[in-house]
Structure formats: C-alpha cells, structure tokens
Amino acid sequence: MERLCPWIGDGVMSVRDVVQAAAGVGGGNEYVEDVFSTYLHTGNNSTQTINNGIDLDGEGGLVWIKGRSLAYNNTLNDTERGAGQQLVSNRTDAQAYYNNGLTSFSSTGFSIGAQGQYNLAPETYASWTFRKAPKFFDVVTWTGDGVVDRQIPHNLGSTPGCVIVKSTSTSGNWYAMFRNITNNNSYLQLNSTSAVTSATDFWSTGGGERAPTYFKVSNAAVNASGQTYVAYLF
C-alpha cells in the first residue's frame, strides 16, 4: 500500500518504509499487514466478526468504516474512547454511542452489529484499520482546560506529520494540522470543503509546535475548558 501517508517525512515514504523504520528502532519485525488493513464486507442485518489480522485489543487503534453502495457517513471508532462510541468525519456531531454499531475490538480485528452505517444487507462497506505503532499511528484523548500552549503527550515516538483533532463532547469541526501547509497555525477541516485556513496561535503561540512526545493546543476549538477531545496522529 504505497504512499498511504504522504504527509510523513518529505512526502515520499510508504507505509512499508514507515513500519520497517519503526521495526528497526524497536528491533522487531513488523509488516504493513500487522498495522494497517483495508477490508471489504457485505452487510447482513445481524452481527459480523471482521478478521483483518490487526491486534486492536492488545495494541489499540482506529477503525474507519464507509458504506460503498449507499450514501452513509464515515464512521470512526477507536480503542481509546471504547467500542460503540462513534464519530462521523463528514459531520460536526459530538460522539454518539451505538450498542449495535462497532461492538468490540479483538486481537484479530473487530465485531459489528446490525446498525445500518456498519452492516445493512445487502449493502457493501469498506473499513480501514490503523493499529497503534511507533512512527506510524497513535490515538490520544484529553479534557480541555483552556490553557494556551498546552502540551498533549503522545506515544508516536516521532514528530507527527499529521494531527487530526475532534471534540467528542460537543458539536464542532474536525481540525487537521499537516506538515508543510501554508504556516504552522494553519488547518484543514475534514467535514468541510474549505481551503486551508490560518488563525493566530490556533495550535500554539510558537506555530503548531510538535515533538516526538507531545503536540500543543491553544485555541478554544481544540482545548476548551471541560470539553473532551480525541486526536489521531500519523
């Protein structure tokens, strides 16, 4: 799966490059199929176990599902927020719990119930699963405190080239920080067709500061006091 993450490095690294680099640092042997999967399934109006070979129960990660044959939303479920807690990347909604959506994570994938955005017969679906792995992917959550230049710790093990943030407790945009866009306080919105937008001190007073162990948030959109957030890091 070449160039899955074109924002990593100089924009020329493939998933295989990233995973092999991470394995070299850790001394282990991990392959693309250990940390990433594209999987197709057909709905059955009941339950299904998706065995894609990704250890989400032990390692953690993200499952992104989209209907292929019908106009349903993009649904995102991750292990930090827990099975059933759904976010929709094309909408501004807060997270919502579905007990018949993504029902559990396992050592070989995940299970789904009969909720239409996941498993409506005879519709077809695609899922993309990202497992947590050094220099590849991480998921973090926090509760906002309104502090400017707040450091949010992560375990990516390298400076993230992409950080996607969403409030889980209230309606709001999806904000994405990418390396090498207009300036370091610029962002794109997953739920919008808008061009790159810039805002003074949006991510940090130093301009989107990121490091191998943390990234910074400043604006109320990404760190409002009392609100909860999730971030996906690549």
Side-chain angles (χ1 to χ4, degrees), residues 32-142:
V32 174
E33 56 266 30
D34 297 321
V35 297
F36 175 76
S37 167
T38 298
Y39 193 96
L40 305 180
H41 72 272
T42 300
N44 66 7
N45 290 333
S46 181
T47 61
Q48 289 199 57
T49 298
I50 305 300
N51 291 313
N52 59 19
I54 306 297
D55 182 5
L56 292 170
D57 182 50
E59 300 292 341
L62 165 70
V63 177
W64 189 322
I65 296 178
K66 177 70 178 74
R68 302 169 61 217
S69 57
L70 73 175
Y72 266 167
N73 295 314
N74 290 267
T75 61
L76 284 78
N77 297 78
D78 63 72
T79 54
E80 290 299 300
R81 295 179 298 114
Q85 296 290 0
Q86 174 190 283
L87 285 169
V88 178
S89 65
N90 53 288
R91 298 173 61 94
T92 60
D93 304 15
Q95 72 178 11
Y97 180 77
Y98 291 92
N99 61 9
N100 60 346
L102 192 149
T103 56
S104 65
F105 299 102
S106 74
S107 61
T108 57
F110 58 93
S111 294
I112 53 176
Q115 210 275 339
Q117 294 180 97
Y118 300 82
N119 198 21
L120 179 66
E123 309 298 344
T124 58
Y125 299 80
S127 64
W128 301 273
T129 300
F130 300 84
R131 202 204 81 188
K132 289 184 178 182
K135 298 186 178 182
F136 176 62
F137 180 72
D138 196 19
V139 184
V140 298
T141 59
W142 69 97

